[in-house]
Amino acid sequence: MNNITTLLHVILFGDFGLLTLTPRYLFLVLFPIMVFLGVFGQILPKIPFLQKTSPLINQFFYGFIGLGCTTVALASLDYVKSPPMRTRMIWLLILVIPCSSQLAIIATFAAMVTLRVFLVYLFFCFAFMAAIYFLISRIYPLNEGLVKISNDTSSFNLFRIVKEAFLSVAETALPFCGGSIIISIAAHFGILDFISEAFGPFMEGFLHLPKEAASLFVLNILKRDFGSATLLSLAGKGTFDAVQLIVMLMIMTFSVPCFNSSILLIKQQKLPKACLIWLGSLIISILIGKIVSMILSICLS
């Protein structure tokens, strides 16, 4: 009975609880964001300036939103009607454009290492971002604007915006609650710890990282600020050397979307394609870490 009570407490009031994280995210974060994006979506297509700009400038608006939060930027893609352009921006937002939590991780890293080490990280970071952008542009060419220009002069309808925002949040609530319950149960029964332990030998053998990097990687997938705090804690204990820190941060920089972003990704792309994108970003981030590890090992040998 005590075990059931404890489990229910974790599900309802834990770090990913239905009465803690879920309502806070859905109604204090996502709902205001969707209202703002609704206003943004009605105003932006009517701006004459956008009629004279290239598709690259259109893309910049979504990239700028992604700098603050990948989840918000993914939500804004509801207004992109072209499936190829929406897929292009999803890949860019996940792999190329760092969100505020990723920037916090980078700032944490910068405070822990010398300028030389940090510059090495920046070199690799920008090199892989450029390579990924080039590859995505070859697969999904940016040949049309992401913002569709509208000559509709109808009056601004705030009620419709709020209604659509509420419906969007309601549509997101069920998968978000389901994900929260799964993660809470996994944490309670030690499944997350088991995954970290199982992934440890791979991190040691393939990426030449300490086994503690596995738990850091799992935490970063769930919530980026958890990953940033754990990185600071482990690095402060001397768990990583300079090369391992660079490799670990490269993996975290190009990591898969966090839990919140993954829910919106599933909502937008449906489960099979969302899983393909998620797994693709996971493989890319690990391969980037491996390449950086090999280059640094050769250069320092």
Side-chain angles (χ1 to χ4, degrees):
M1 187 67 181
N2 289 335
N3 289 336
I4 295 177
T5 303
T6 304
L7 176 59
L8 288 175
H9 185 273
V10 171
I11 292 174
L12 295 176
F13 304 105
D15 290 334
F16 290 87
L18 294 178
L19 299 180
T20 50
L21 175 69
T22 301
R24 186 166 66 245
Y25 173 73
L26 290 177
F27 296 106
L28 298 182
V29 178
L30 186 59
F31 180 72
I33 286 170
M34 295 307 298
V35 171
F36 168 77
L37 291 174
V39 174
F40 188 73
Q42 285 201 14
I43 294 176
L44 192 61
K46 298 180 175 64
I47 298 177
F49 167 73
L50 291 178
Q51 298 179 6
K52 303 177 182 179
T53 60
S54 67
L56 190 63
I57 300 298
N58 276 204
Q59 177 184 266
F60 171 79
F61 283 96
Y62 291 92
F64 181 78
I65 295 173
L67 286 172
C69 179
T70 302
T71 306
V72 177
L74 288 175
S76 71
L77 294 180
D78 286 341
Y79 298 97
V80 178
K81 303 305 180 185
S82 170
M85 290 301 98
R86 189 184 303 120
T87 303
R88 170 192 171 92
M89 285 307 304
I90 286 173
W91 279 111
L92 290 177
L93 289 168
I94 292 174
L95 293 174
V96 177
I97 300 172
C99 68
S100 57
S101 295
Q102 287 171 307
L103 293 175
I105 293 173
I106 295 171
T108 301
F109 175 72
M112 295 187 300
V113 299
T114 63
L115 178 61
R116 183 179 178 180
V117 173
F118 187 64
L119 289 177
V120 171
Y121 159 74
L122 288 181
F123 169 78
F124 281 119
C125 194
F126 286 120
F128 280 106
M129 283 181 176
I132 290 171
Y133 182 84
F134 174 78
L135 182 61
I136 292 173
S137 295
R138 297 289 292 181
I139 300 174
Y140 301 102
L142 186 60
N143 51 20
E144 59 180 286
L146 294 169
V147 179
K148 299 301 182 183
I149 304 305
S150 172
N151 296 318
D152 183 14
T153 57
S154 60
S155 59
F156 184 78
N157 192 333
L158 182 60
F159 176 77
R160 188 179 70 185
I161 292 173
V162 173
K163 179 182 177 181
E164 290 178 352
F166 181 80
L167 292 175
S168 180
V169 170
E171 186 179 349
T172 306
L174 185 59
F176 193 90
C177 290
S180 296
I181 293 173
I182 291 172
I183 292 177
S184 296
I185 292 174
H188 177 73
F189 288 104
I191 297 175
L192 295 182
D193 293 333
F194 174 78
I195 293 173
S196 298
E197 289 291 331
F199 204 47
F202 173 79
M203 301 294 280
E204 289 181 300
F206 187 70
L207 296 169
H208 307 296
L209 295 171
K211 62 181 181 180
E212 290 84 355
S215 60
L216 173 57
F217 186 60
V218 172
L219 284 173
N220 188 64
I221 291 175
L222 295 177
K223 215 166 184 298
R224 294 282 166 79
D225 49 358
F226 287 179
S228 180
T230 306
L231 174 65
L232 179 61
S233 175
L234 291 177
K237 297 176 182 178
T239 305
F240 302 100
D241 59 29
V243 172
Q244 290 173 334
L245 268 175
I246 292 176
V247 172
M248 190 66 233
L249 193 67
M250 290 297 298
I251 295 173
M252 294 172 69
T253 300
F254 294 95
S255 183
V256 300
C258 66
F259 171 70
N260 296 344
S261 297
S262 297
I263 294 298
L264 285 182
L265 179 62
I266 293 172
K267 174 190 170 186
Q268 284 191 346
Q269 297 292 309
K270 306 309 178 186
L271 190 59
K273 191 172 182 180
C275 289
L276 180 63
I277 293 174
W278 195 95
L279 288 174
S281 61
L282 175 66
I283 293 171
I284 289 172
S285 66
I286 292 175
L287 289 178
I288 287 175
K290 179 61 176 179
I291 293 170
V292 172
S293 177
M294 291 175 60
I295 293 174
L296 291 177
S297 296
I298 293 171
C299 293
L300 297 176
S301 61

